[in-house]
Amino acid sequence: MEILQQHRVHGGTLSYCRHDSAATGGAMRFSIFLPPGAGPHPLLVWLSGLTCTEENFTTKAGAYGAAAAVGLAVLAPDTSPRGEGVADDPAYDLGQGAGFYVDATQAPWAPHFRMETYVTRDLLAAIEAAFPLDPARRGISGHSMGGHGALTLALRHPDLFRSVSAFAPIVSPTRCPWGEKAFSAYLGEDRAAWAQHDASLLIAGGAANGHYDDILIDQGTADSFLEGQLKPQLFAQACADAGQKLTLRLQEGYDHSYFFMASFIADHIDWHARRLKTA
């Protein structure tokens, strides 16, 4: 673990870090905010969207005042492996910056694009060895591609997380152009493999199994990707059919940008803090 920068903010400490990951076969970067106090702190894992790095949430979301007030640590990893020898694509929605939080099985992606294992194994192990965090109190959230990651990792790894929320998530990547493109590249043409990383299909298959008392999603009504890519109604219907409580808030006039997230991030911080208050 290498600490690249540290900053004092809202009485806590924000660190930018780099560490080696066996899953991705190289160095990965993240930021982590620790609130005031000795800890161990509950943790919110934030997963960012297409084209983002660990920097986007860290500098644009304005989360740390709210996190400091409730004693919540916040972790923001990069969205994909990077560097020399790591496969890439000229398009913004594939390759570096577009890991989709799955473990790729297809060439040329498989050697490095193992973001599910990275987040759920290597990253959590690294930060909990280095910082005063409580592994029994973790939540997960994210935006767009990262909202997809938050929902699917929460559903696939309920032993790791106690709360889940998302902003404008890709709720059914098997039924939208972004997901179809990425899953074809990373997972091949077997749609049964795709289904294991589709939050709506996971809910329909019983993956929640009563683990989460509620799921919070905020979606802007002026989001240009709402109809073609995000389709929150598919997740809402799956939750209704499965008996999973969902709080879906359609926020009038908000778009897909970090202005939207900055407007409601305090609500999500509070949402997770209440659910992570006790071990």
Side-chain angles (χ1 to χ4, degrees):
M1 178 76 68
E2 181 183 4
I3 295 177
L4 304 173
Q5 300 178 43
Q6 280 193 323
H7 305 279
R8 192 77 168 156
V9 56
H10 291 289
T13 303
L14 174 67
S15 301
Y16 285 89
C17 304
R18 179 168 54 209
H19 73 119
D20 290 332
S21 165
T24 65
M28 299 292 293
R29 293 172 59 110
F30 64 87
S31 77
I32 184 165
F33 170 76
L34 297 181
H41 305 291
L43 174 70
L44 177 63
V45 178
W46 172 270
L47 303 181
S48 291
L50 288 167
T51 75
C52 290
T53 70
E54 76 285 354
E55 183 79 1
N56 295 74
F57 176 86
T58 305
T59 59
K60 294 181 179 180
Y64 301 133
V70 296
L72 186 66
V74 184
L75 169 70
D78 200 351
T79 53
S80 77
R82 300 180 192 270
E84 188 176 352
V86 176
D88 201 6
D89 189 273
Y92 76 95
D93 53 359
L94 190 67
Q96 295 184 36
F100 269 84
Y101 305 101
V102 300
D103 286 355
T105 59
Q106 305 299 303
W109 313 104
H112 300 285
F113 280 73
R114 301 182 64 232
M115 287 299 293
E116 179 174 11
T117 295
Y118 168 66
V119 171
T120 60
R121 186 192 72 188
D122 294 4
L123 179 60
L124 293 180
I127 63 163
E128 287 166 3
F131 300 101
L133 303 170
D134 184 351
R137 294 187 293 162
R138 300 191 200 104
I140 190 166
S141 187
H143 168 235
S144 194
M145 177 186 73
H148 142 75
L151 293 173
T152 56
L153 296 189
L155 293 170
R156 287 170 58 81
H157 302 273
D159 55 316
L160 297 181
F161 304 104
R162 294 180 55 193
S163 57
V164 57
S165 73
F167 285 85
I170 304 170
V171 300
S172 190
T174 64
R175 289 173 281 184
C176 77
W178 278 340
E180 291 172 342
K181 179 178 180 177
F183 284 7
S184 292
Y186 297 148
L187 303 175
E189 297 303 325
D190 180 5
R191 284 185 169 260
W194 297 13
Q196 298 306 306
H197 303 279
D198 182 306
S200 298
L201 297 181
L202 287 169
I203 287 284
N209 197 28
H211 183 77
Y212 299 105
D213 67 327
D214 199 354
I215 297 171
L216 172 63
I217 291 178
D218 272 317
Q219 173 64 63
T221 62
D223 191 322
S224 61
F225 302 113
L226 177 58
E227 298 300 327
Q229 303 281 10
L230 305 178
K231 306 181 181 182
Q233 71 277 5
L234 296 177
F235 191 71
Q237 187 61 59
C239 286
D241 293 344
Q244 169 63 52
K245 186 177 180 182
L246 169 68
T247 298
L248 172 60
R249 307 192 308 183
L250 298 177
Q251 305 289 5
E252 186 66 30
Y254 284 87
D255 58 21
H256 201 69
S257 73
Y258 264 89
F259 296 113
F260 170 43
M261 283 167 279
S263 299
F264 299 102
I265 191 65
D267 292 353
H268 286 246
I269 294 290
D270 181 66
W271 170 277
H272 289 277
R274 285 186 280 115
R275 285 160 177 77
L276 302 176
K277 188 174 181 180
T278 58

